[in-house]
């Protein structure tokens, strides 16, 4: 068959016409399968425990399901482009953005031979500036005049700014130049949200950078898309645009597994498939004000005086939405991902949204992902329920239950939305997270729980065991190697190896981090035998029934040796495939 979708249809029809549930195996040859819409798996694609539906790679081959389109026709720029810095003269190459679904592709990521190029920004690299002041009344932020004067009379510019444990992406609306500062306002809806939400907050030293202007295209490896759709790129010394494969993303989601509580999708396995090149344009269209763990705020404000019917002490309210993922499942169970790769993605990698149970993610790689590597369960998103109200659905089939995440490599995720995490679990039950290698992240390694509330909820019996977590919390603060929220009876955090945590120089408070961080409402948990470089833990408004036993540098070295990928999966650490 020419496509996975065609093979999937044939398998579905075979079962329907033969009125029998036979095993269906779709073997996918190596190469890139450019999708023009997501692959949809529905109840009609289901197998059973002995006759599953399997989508797997041919032996020793890597098929790629891609949401990207290839950019061709590169040439040296000869025409004038308004705003380009003098240093770029003679350096820039240009190509027309391709069409997708009849429209010129707008995008926020560009990959050259699978290396993510840099959207033109100021300052360059990992450098940032710090704000001078901010005013909720004027809805403006004032920044140093040296960087602020660059943006006069320019449109489309964004400010990415750290606010404690996450970021906001704010589209600049107006610029007012003063003697020693430049004050900027922002477009709606993000302006109202940014200046009304109390948490996470801007601080007097919040760091920021500016992006998306031709004036910022001043360094090899940077790109900019002009308002008329042309793509400008300053090649690095090793880039040959006459031969390079340049890809931009067009689809938000590659695979959608969609069933219902009463008619779920069942027993589907993906083996050895690579999911790549997804987009997420919402920040360009509506801005982005992060809440936590990748969820973004749609409305939030301070309560004066404090108190709601559910919580007399609550001092703020917020409503959040969920970012998209390359692969998303709801109303599904016994779904397996084995030895798959989730790479070069704008937002999240893999998402079990609701109504899922008994699923397995094992031996997979999550790399070069803008948001969360994995996200599972309700975050009180998408159905109008306030953020702090405990999730306890009348129909417990909604709860994501008995999900196993084991022996995966989660690295270089959160590289665009710095408030995301490696593995994000909302309201989950009987979740097992074990023997994963988690590193190179902007915020926490594992986040378990939601709600900031001490009342009973759907969570219980979760397990975080024998993971190797290091070099996380690299950009923001107020975070931990492992982070929890709200009561979770019989939850155990044990025998993890956590080390080398240090917020980057632009974090608002570089001392605000912990190896294990039990945040508001965390209760009925056991934290034991975790090896950490020091006894640096944080317990914020916890319940009285947590148990801490033998955590820190005196824990046996065998804990270190046993943590992380188990022997059959340690080849993932050696794999440099992009």
């Amino acid at each position: 068959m020419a496509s996975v979708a065609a093979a999937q249809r044939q398998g579905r029809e075979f079962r329907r016409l033969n009125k029998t549930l036979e095993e269906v195996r779709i073997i996918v040859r190596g190469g890139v399968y450019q999708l023009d819409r997501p692959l949809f798996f529905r109840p009609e694609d289901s197998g059973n425990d002995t006759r599953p539906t399997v989508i797997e790679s041919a032996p020793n081959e890597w098929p790629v399901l891609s949401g990207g389109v290839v950019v061709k026709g590169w040439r040296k720029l000869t025409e004038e482009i308004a705003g380009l810095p003098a240093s770029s003269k003679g350096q820039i190459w240009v190509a027309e953005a391709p069409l997708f679904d009849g429209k010129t592709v707008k995008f926020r990521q560009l990959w050259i031979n699978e290396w993510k190029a840099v959207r033109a920004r100021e300052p360059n690299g990992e450098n940032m500036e710090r704000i001078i002041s901010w005013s909720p009344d004027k809805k403006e932020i004032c920044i140093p005049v040296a960087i602020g004067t660059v943006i006069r009379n320019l449109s489309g510019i964004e400010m990415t700014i750290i606010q404690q444990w996450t970021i906001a992406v704010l589209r600049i609306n107006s610029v007012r130049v003063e003697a020693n500062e430049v004050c900027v306002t922002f477009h709606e809806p993000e302006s109202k949200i940014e200046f009304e939400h109390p948490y996470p907050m801007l601080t007097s030293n919040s760091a920021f950078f500016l992006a998306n202007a031709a004036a910022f295209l001043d360094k090899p490896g940077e790109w900019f898309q002009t308002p008329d759709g042309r793509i400008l790129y300053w090649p690095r010394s090793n880039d040959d645009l006459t031969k390079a494969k340049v890809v931009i993303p067009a689809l938000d989601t590659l695979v959608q597994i969609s069933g219902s509580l009463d008619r779920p999708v069942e027993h589907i396995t993906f083996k050895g498939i690579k999911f790549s090149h997804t987009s997420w344009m919402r920040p360009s269209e509506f801005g982005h004000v992060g809440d936590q763990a990748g969820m973004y705020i749609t409305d939030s404000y301070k309560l004066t005086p404090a108190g709601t019917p559910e919580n007399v002490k609550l001092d703020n309210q917020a409503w959040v939405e969920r970012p998209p993922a390359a692969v998303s499942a709801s109303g599904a169970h016994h779904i397996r991902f084995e030895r798959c790769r989730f790479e070069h993605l704008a937002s999240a990698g893999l998402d079990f949204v609701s109504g899922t149970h008994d699923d397995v993610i094992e031996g997979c790689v999550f790399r070069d992902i803008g948001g969360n590597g994995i996200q599972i369960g309700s975050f009180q998103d998408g159905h109008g329920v306030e953020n702090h109200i405990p999730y306890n659905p009348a129909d417990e089939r909604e709860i994501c239950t008995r999900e196993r995440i084991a022996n995966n490599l989660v690295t270089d995720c959160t590289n665009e939305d710095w408030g995301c995490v490696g593995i994000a679990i909302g309201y989950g039950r009987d979740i097992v997270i074990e023997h994963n290698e988690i590193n190179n992240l902007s915020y926490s390694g594992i986040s378990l729980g939601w709600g900031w509330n001490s009342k009973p909820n759907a969570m219980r019996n979760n397990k975080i065991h024998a993971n190797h977590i290091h070099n996380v919390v690299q950009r923001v603060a107020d975070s931990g190697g492992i982070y929890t929220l709200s009561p979770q009876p019989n939850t155990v955090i044990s025998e993890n190896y956590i080390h080398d945590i240090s917020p980057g120089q632009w974090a608002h408070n570089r001392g605000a981090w912990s190896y294990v961080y039990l945040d508001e409402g965390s209760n009925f948990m056991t934290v034991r035998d975790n090896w950490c470089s020091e006894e640096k833990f944080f317990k914020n408004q916890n319940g009285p029934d947590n148990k801490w036993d033998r955590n820190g540098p005196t824990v046996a070295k065998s804990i270190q040796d046993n943590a992380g990928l188990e022997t059959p999966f340690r080849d993932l650490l050696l794999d440099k495939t992009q």
Side-chain angles (χ1 to χ4, degrees), residues 91 140 212-213 312 338 393 455 556:
Q91 304 293 335
E140 68 178 16
N212 197 40
V312 297
E338 302 174 7
K455 294 183 178 180

Side-chain angles (χ1 to χ4, degrees), residues 306-328:
T308 67
E310 296 83 13
N311 186 342
V312 297
K313 296 182 179 180
L314 186 66
D315 66 356
N316 74 98
Q317 289 187 309
W319 290 262
V320 301
E321 293 286 350
R322 185 187 204 98
V327 179
S328 180

Side-chain angles (χ1 to χ4, degrees), residues 203 212 266 269 272 295 310 358 373 434 439-440 447 471 486:
T203 60
N212 197 40
E266 305 175 75
T269 295
M295 305 302 119
E310 296 83 13
D358 295 288
E434 62 184 0
N439 62 57
N440 193 18
S447 178
N471 298 100
S486 301

